[in-house]
Amino acid sequence: MHPILFEIPVLGLKVHGYGLMMLFGCASALAIAVWRARREGLDADAVYELATWLFLGGVVGARALFVASRPDLIQSPLDLFRSWEGGNVFYGCIIGGLTGTLIYWRRRPFPFLRMADAVAPALAVGVFFGRFGCHLNGCCHGAITRLPWGVRFPAGSHAWTAHVDQGLLDPAAPWSLPVHPTQLYASFAGLALLIGLLAYVPFRRRTGEMMALLMIAYPISRWPVEVLRGDDPGLFAGITISQLINVGLLTFGLIVWRRLGRKAAAAISAPRVSARPEPLKTAG
């Protein structure tokens, strides 16, 4: 855990690990999206403009969903805007980013499904860097574990505070109890999604499949991680907001995949029109 990686001399500017990982994630996502857009025959300038709407919508959405789900962690009005210090919800980022995308699309229409396929791997690399940033920040920690790779976070961290509040740890303890490194689980899952999506490109048969595949695979990869988390008590019966969104996203992804398949089947079964006109019949 390294919430502050270093401090810039003279300026006294602290560089937060979470913020730096978010910067790496955004830069990498933009590079991948531009690369894939060019392979899709799309204008790279449109990707740069879309990225602005995606980023702004994603930041607002991620912070808004965090504030809505954990209002107890907001101690002052300034806490509403400290997203670079952690405290963001990925699904909020997706919802906000989608909202920004639709606004831009209405203003300047573009091939939506082709652009979605270009953006899909970029979202996966964003998960990789974003969750690694969560590990550096100490948020989104896992439940207590006895596994040898369990991670202890220092005094003052989210995990340490939770264990002290629950009476599981003495306030003088320098470290938390060992917990699942759920942030790293999610980070490596994002990397696996990125590799899987790029490997699937040669086998794609329909435009839109890349995004549909991400909408199906991401909730499946995230569900077991959510089960192992120890920072969110859930809304009811241990079910968290993210798990509910998981179900919705998976369902929507399956619907999109099926509709894409139906369109392809309809296109294949449609009668072909001959390019050569038939000769006119004459009477007689």
Side-chain angles (χ1 to χ4, degrees):
M1 174 181 171
H2 296 282
I4 298 177
L5 293 180
F6 57 88
E7 184 174 339
I8 300 177
V10 182
L11 297 178
L13 181 63
K14 296 179 180 179
V15 177
H16 293 263
Y18 182 86
L20 186 61
M21 288 300 106
M22 290 301 294
L23 178 61
F24 287 162
C26 290
S28 300
L30 180 58
I32 290 177
V34 169
W35 167 59
R36 287 303 312 156
R38 287 172 175 164
R39 298 296 296 268
E40 296 286 342
L42 298 171
D43 183 8
D45 290 338
V47 178
Y48 289 114
E49 294 179 12
L50 175 61
T52 303
W53 291 88
L54 265 170
F55 176 76
L56 293 177
V59 169
V60 173
R63 194 62 177 176
L65 189 54
F66 171 77
V67 171
S69 60
R70 298 300 302 274
D72 56 299
L73 298 180
I74 305 301
Q75 305 298 328
S76 70
L78 289 178
D79 290 341
L80 295 173
F81 308 100
R82 299 181 186 275
S83 60
W84 60 89
E85 296 180 4
N88 298 288
V89 179
F90 180 74
Y91 275 135
C93 178
I94 294 297
I95 295 171
L98 177 60
T99 302
T101 298
L102 292 175
I103 293 174
Y104 176 71
W105 181 64
R106 288 293 300 271
R107 291 166 56 91
R108 297 190 60 180
F110 55 82
F112 196 88
L113 290 180
R114 287 165 62 193
M115 184 67 80
D117 279 351
V119 171
L123 295 178
V125 78
V127 173
F128 170 70
F129 280 107
R131 288 305 181 184
F132 194 80
C134 290
H135 181 71
L136 293 177
N137 192 55
C139 57
C140 307
H141 62 84
I144 298 172
T145 181
R146 293 184 178 180
L147 293 174
W149 56 81
V151 176
R152 293 178 182 268
F153 289 96
S157 64
H158 296 275
W160 181 90
T161 302
H163 296 164
V164 171
D165 290 344
Q166 295 167 15
L168 302 174
L169 197 64
D170 188 281
W175 299 92
S176 72
L177 297 173
V179 297
H180 282 283
T182 46
Q183 311 98 323
L184 298 182
Y185 295 164
S187 180
F188 293 143
L191 182 60
L193 286 174
L194 172 63
I195 295 173
L197 287 171
L198 294 179
Y200 184 74
V201 171
F203 304 97
R204 184 183 53 169
R205 295 179 299 168
R206 303 175 290 267
T207 304
E209 274 190 356
M210 299 287 287
M211 182 56 74
L213 185 60
L214 178 64
M215 288 190 293
I216 295 170
Y218 179 73
I220 294 175
S221 69
R222 176 158 180 174
W223 187 274
V225 177
E226 285 293 314
V227 172
L228 296 175
R229 282 178 62 167
D231 65 320
D232 191 347
L235 297 175
F236 58 90
I239 302 298
T240 65
I241 293 179
S242 294
Q243 286 176 317
L244 292 176
I245 299 177
N246 265 348
V247 175
L249 182 61
L250 175 60
T251 302
F252 186 66
L254 291 172
I255 292 173
V256 171
W257 185 275
R258 186 175 182 181
R259 291 195 63 180
L260 290 175
R262 284 182 176 179
K263 287 184 178 181
I268 293 174
S269 61
R272 295 183 178 180
V273 179
S274 175
R276 180 182 300 175
E278 295 182 2
L280 296 176
K281 294 181 180 181
T282 57

